[in-house]
Amino acid sequence: MLLACALAAAVGCGYGTTSRTAKDIKTIYVPFFENKTSEPNLEISVTERIIQNLVTDNTLKVVPENAADAVLDGEIVGFKNEPFSFNQNLNAEEYHVVITVVCTLYNRRTNEPIWEKRNFVGDGSYFVEQVENGRTFDDAVEESIKEITERILNLTVQDW
């Protein structure tokens, strides 16, 4: 959890806020999400990207938990890497990565959810045979995380 705050400080935590959120929510804390999948390090990538998106968006200030108006809590509950298309010999040529995250945004002062247990799904694909400038497994994972974290940002900073 301290690493999440340190990351927030390192990427520019401390910018001002605008009026796109509920009037009493100006600051947010994002602890590392729990990774309930067997895919390593997803919690780091997802949490870091959410914090970066919040800092870049500049609507809410990312702060330590004790200074936050809201807490964005989440867990990574699904990771699939499945064959998507096959060649004439029935060998997989393309794979599809799907990541599922469940999040809740709490008002820290009231300990009530602003929104809760929302599912966010992101996906991406890659080819087994690498062609020049082709997509890789890492590209597909990154695309999935990007979709998820942009959706989380949009829901987090909208008027509730």
Side-chain angles (χ1 to χ4, degrees):
M1 292 197 298
L2 292 175
L3 184 58
C5 291
L7 173 66
V11 296
C13 175
Y15 292 108
T17 60
T18 64
S19 60
R20 285 180 20 206
T21 61
K23 304 302 180 235
D24 62 335
I25 304 294
K26 305 274 188 230
T27 58
I28 190 168
Y29 170 67
V30 183
F32 272 99
F33 282 28
E34 183 179 351
N35 185 356
K36 293 189 169 187
T37 74
S38 60
E39 186 65 23
N41 301 319
L42 277 180
E43 70 281 6
I44 295 168
S45 300
V46 169
T47 306
E48 287 178 350
R49 175 62 74 89
I50 289 170
I51 292 170
Q52 289 171 351
N53 286 355
L54 285 163
V55 169
T56 300
D57 177 75
N58 199 27
T59 301
L60 296 172
K61 182 178 175 183
V62 180
V63 298
E65 184 176 16
N66 62 354
D69 298 325
V71 175
L72 179 63
D73 196 20
E75 54 191 25
I76 303 155
V77 298
F79 181 87
K80 294 179 185 175
N81 182 23
E82 299 177 330
F84 186 68
S85 66
F86 299 86
N87 64 19
Q88 62 192 22
N89 297 325
L90 299 178
N91 295 320
E93 287 186 325
E94 183 180 9
Y95 278 78
H96 194 69
V97 172
V98 179
I99 300 173
T100 305
V101 174
V102 176
C103 295
T104 299
L105 182 66
Y106 295 97
N107 182 321
R108 197 174 148 273
R109 286 186 235 114
T110 66
N111 205 28
E112 295 287 325
I114 296 167
W115 46 264
E116 66 182 325
K117 295 184 181 176
R118 296 282 180 99
N119 284 320
F120 299 90
V121 178
D123 64 341
S125 60
Y126 67 99
F127 290 93
V128 176
E129 294 291 323
Q130 288 302 309
V131 293
E132 191 172 328
N133 297 322
R135 295 177 49 79
T136 65
F137 169 77
D138 290 339
D139 294 332
V141 170
E142 179 61 26
E143 182 179 350
S144 301
I145 291 171
K146 181 179 178 187
E147 285 180 16
I148 290 166
T149 57
E150 286 176 357
R151 290 178 184 141
I152 291 170
L153 174 69
N154 290 337
L155 185 59
T156 302
V157 300
Q158 73 181 1
D159 277 331
W160 298 297

